[in-house]
Amino acid sequence: MSNPAVLPNSVAAVIAKYLKSQGVSRVFALCGGHIMPVWMSLDALGIPIVDVRDERAAVYMAHAHSELTGELGVALVTAGPGVTNAMTGIANAHVSRASVLVLSGTPPQQQENRGALQDMAHIDFVKPLTHYARTVRDPDLVLQELDEASARALGHGTEPGPVFLDFPVDTQRAIPSPAVQLPERFQRRASPTLYPAPHDIQQVVDLLWAAKRPLVITGRGARQASAPLIKLLDRLGAAYLDTGESRGLVPDSHPSVVAAMRGAVMGQVDLVLVLGRKLDFQLAYGSPAVFGDAKWVRIAPYPSELRDNRRGAVEVLSSVETALEAILDAAGDRQSAADAQWLQGLRTEHTMRADKYQRTMRDAPTGQDGLMHPNQVLGALREAIGEDSVVVADGGDFLSFARVGLPASTYLDPGPLGCIGVGTPFGIAASLACPDKTVVVATGDGAFGFNAMEIDTAVRHQAPLLIVVANNGSWAIEVRDQQETHGRVVGTRLQFADHAAMARAFGLHAQRVEKAEDLPAAIQTALQNRPALLDVLVTPEAVSSDAKSGLAWVPDLQALEAWDKAEAKWRG
């Protein structure tokens, strides 16, 4: 019996048509028999498929694509191990609230629960990690389910995040009724705007304009609010801290930016305005042990960003951009009570620290082993790529250096799940989505190893990225923790593997760099021959800020040792 053809009016074709109607410009996938009808229908409709080497990389790429474009990110993975491989990517998208649609297949319905090849109850696995998860068996319900899942993924009326749909193979080949294919289902819809209550806005204005030392912190919910955010900072005279979720909203040149004084400013403020950001471990859970007696004002489009860990004196459920515009209108010509000298002092110290750090990066001392300090690598990269690049930082120890050392208007990293290994997949998706920008992946060697085979994907799809591997032959942050806490090192040493040789075997331009003086020329050559990889030997002796902070040994009450001690003291 020959393989059944995929008909142009089949469910698989409807899935492809729907994705195209929603502006899906590419799908990240790894092929398999249980998704072949959808796969071939995507190709027939002209939707490019970026075929990967591991399913979790497909979800990572869909995640990054969505973050950078605002589109629905789509991953297509086959049944059984295809789905289980994808689950780490789904978990990361879940914690990061990325708009990802994961599609899969199952055996034909007549073989369900009989021990068929790759027959697994996918929904049982992925449901805790998704906002919506369904097996769609009825051909006439496919379009409805796609529409509902996509709306939930994009956060239309709810928090955004990953969703999952799978379809039995016989359903994919079936012919749905033309009557249920209503035009409204193919309509692309903008995310709804949520308006604030006027009474809430007046309370916010009264609190903000009365504060002496106000601080504004942003997260992913504020990504569309750059213009009114900058106006608010100008009018209010508040200090400003971004997070990895919102890098680039406010330029580093703005007088409110005090990132280098993060620890100090948190303990000095009398009011904190949080815009679209959860108060997770990165913000000390908003604890009074770190923020003192500061009042809180929280504005967010989703309840999950509005009342976790600390309640606000005012909580405004609203689109952040709309709320900020309403605040500015309501404030009128009111004079802020903010202490201008306080902010100027913070800004001056921030500028001095930032300038000193930048000056010393290239001159960072080599290790006793003669290998480069990670900051030497980052200093050379910083000079070569400029701040308008897309930076993807990955790793444990090296991420700590890169997070500070590589400023960028667009920035991605493993996120609050700490999901190292995202670097190369994120970078591939970013370079395909933003071909007019320089895309650089700055990764540790341990993190690179998780998805190193995706360099094959980069070559086959000519993804114009530069991967820089900081090769210190170890899981450095854990090595230091073991040495200092336990007095011995167990299972955390790697070899100084030649990643450049591996990359050349897959067709990348690649070079191993062992001396700092060779870095500038190597970077320029690599940028001109992307996709490219630089394998840069760095000393494992360098101590990152995360290693110093106690992050590795996981304190009981807070993520950082200093915060943990403050929390214990505050609790008495």
Side-chain angles (χ1 to χ4, degrees):
M1 174 181 172
S2 61
N3 293 334
V6 181
L7 299 177
N9 56 347
S10 66
V11 163
V14 169
I15 293 171
K17 180 182 176 183
Y18 175 81
L19 294 179
K20 191 161 189 176
S21 76
Q22 300 306 299
V24 174
S25 55
R26 56 179 57 89
V27 171
F28 305 93
L30 203 163
C31 201
H34 293 91
I35 55 172
M36 191 64 74
V38 174
W39 186 287
M40 301 310 297
S41 296
L42 293 171
D43 179 71
L45 209 57
I47 299 176
I49 298 172
V50 179
D51 54 306
V52 302
R53 298 299 301 266
D54 186 278
E55 286 87 357
R56 69 181 156 174
V59 183
Y60 289 155
M61 292 182 194
H63 177 156
H65 178 88
S66 176
E67 298 282 71
L68 294 173
T69 66
E71 299 174 2
L72 185 67
V74 181
L76 177 62
V77 301
T78 198
V83 172
T84 57
N85 286 348
M87 285 178 63
T88 299
I90 297 172
N92 195 43
H94 175 69
V95 175
S96 299
R97 290 165 288 157
S99 299
V100 174
L101 168 62
V102 180
L103 301 175
S104 186
T106 67
Q109 294 175 76
Q110 293 189 39
Q111 297 183 47
E112 265 189 31
N113 201 31
R114 299 184 64 196
L117 175 66
Q118 298 181 340
D119 184 12
M120 303 190 82
H122 300 149
I123 305 303
D124 292 347
F125 298 155
V126 303
K127 195 167 186 177
L129 303 175
T130 58
H131 291 330
Y132 194 72
R134 294 290 302 275
T135 295
V136 187
R137 296 176 175 85
D138 187 331
D140 288 352
L141 292 178
V142 166
L143 194 52
Q144 175 178 322
E145 292 288 3
L146 282 166
D147 198 17
E148 179 66 21
S150 298
R152 295 203 191 193
L154 291 165
H156 292 180
T158 184
E159 183 182 65
V163 296
F164 178 91
L165 294 176
D166 61 7
F167 311 86
V169 177
D170 57 323
T171 299
Q172 295 175 47
R173 293 193 284 250
I175 309 299
S177 169
V180 301
Q181 298 180 44
L182 300 171
E184 67 202 44
R185 292 294 186 190
F186 295 98
Q187 183 178 340
R188 190 176 181 184
R189 302 177 190 275
S191 181
T193 300
L194 191 60
Y195 292 91
H199 178 260
D200 289 342
I201 292 300
Q202 190 57 55
Q203 289 188 71
V204 171
V205 170
D206 290 342
L207 286 168
L208 288 179
W209 262 256
K212 300 290 187 182
R213 299 181 302 280
L215 169 66
V216 179
I217 302 175
T218 57
R220 65 171 296 117
R223 287 179 179 174
Q224 307 304 315
S226 176
L229 170 61
I230 291 171
K231 289 181 183 178
L232 177 71
L233 294 172
D234 290 338
R235 292 274 302 280
L236 193 59
Y240 173 72
L241 296 175
D242 67 9
T243 59
E245 297 181 358
S246 57
R247 285 275 287 270
L249 285 183
V250 178
D252 289 342
S253 59
H254 194 279
S256 289
V257 173
V258 292
M261 299 294 293
R262 185 175 298 264
V265 71
M266 283 180 175
Q268 296 175 12
V269 296
D270 60 359
L271 185 141
V272 186
L273 172 61
V274 186
L275 301 174
R277 182 62 160 83
K278 291 186 176 183
L279 295 179
D280 61 12
F281 73 94
Q282 298 168 91
L283 293 173
Y285 311 113
S287 173
V290 175
F291 288 91
D293 295 327
K295 294 180 180 178
W296 293 79
V297 174
R298 304 194 65 176
I299 301 174
Y302 313 110
S304 61
E305 296 172 342
L306 204 62
R307 53 179 179 260
D308 64 309
N309 289 315
R310 289 298 301 273
R311 300 301 299 258
V314 185
E315 298 168 348
V316 184
L317 183 63
S318 168
S319 302
V320 173
E321 181 179 15
T322 305
L324 292 181
E325 290 170 349
I327 289 169
L328 292 166
D329 288 343
D333 295 329
R334 186 168 176 172
Q335 294 297 308
S336 170
D339 185 343
Q341 290 186 334
W342 170 74
L343 177 59
Q344 182 58 51
L346 286 170
R347 176 65 183 177
T348 299
E349 185 68 22
H350 158 83
T351 303
M352 290 174 57
R353 289 188 181 187
D355 289 348
K356 180 181 179 181
Y357 187 79
Q358 186 172 354
R359 288 194 307 270
T360 58
M361 285 179 71
R362 291 294 300 273
D363 299 324
T366 58
Q368 294 183 7
D369 51 14
L371 298 179
M372 279 179 273
H373 192 285
N375 276 340
Q376 292 178 283
V377 182
L378 296 169
L381 267 178
R382 182 173 182 152
E383 292 181 11
I385 66 174
E387 293 188 15
D388 194 36
S389 302
V390 178
V391 168
V392 180
D394 192 14
D397 206 55
F398 188 59
L399 172 63
S400 179
F401 291 107
R403 186 173 58 235
V404 178
L406 278 182
S409 59
T410 306
Y411 173 86
L412 297 172
D413 68 15
L417 187 62
C419 192
I420 64 173
V422 300
T424 299
F426 272 18
I428 291 170
S431 65
L432 294 174
C434 309
D436 56 329
K437 288 184 176 285
T438 299
V439 176
V440 174
V441 175
T443 178
D445 55 333
F448 174 69
F450 276 92
N451 287 288
M453 280 296 291
E454 297 305 330
I455 60 175
D456 173 63
T457 305
V459 171
R460 288 183 294 105
H461 291 275
Q462 283 301 292
L465 79 160
L466 168 60
I467 303 168
V468 179
V469 181
N471 188 349
N472 63 11
S474 66
W475 300 101
I477 203 167
E478 282 76 20
V479 167
R480 181 163 298 277
D481 177 40
Q482 289 181 344
Q483 289 173 327
E484 295 180 355
T485 307
H486 306 282
R488 63 188 189 279
V489 176
V490 182
T492 52
R493 300 280 193 194
L494 301 172
Q495 56 180 317
F496 285 91
D498 192 339
H499 303 298
M502 179 181 69
R504 284 193 296 271
F506 282 97
L508 273 79
H509 167 85
Q511 180 180 345
R512 188 169 229 207
V513 185
E514 301 184 18
K515 297 180 181 179
E517 56 265 31
D518 296 333
L519 267 174
I523 292 170
Q524 289 300 326
T525 302
L527 288 171
Q528 294 165 11
N529 292 276
R530 291 171 287 168
L533 181 145
L534 295 179
D535 181 22
V536 186
L537 297 188
V538 299
T539 178
E541 299 169 12
V543 186
S544 70
S545 59
D546 283 352
K548 295 175 184 177
S549 71
L551 190 68
W553 55 266
V554 194
D556 288 340
L557 301 174
Q558 289 277 357
L560 307 183
E561 183 178 15
W563 291 353
D564 189 66
K565 290 180 178 178
E567 184 78 19
K569 181 179 179 181
W570 174 69
R571 294 189 183 195

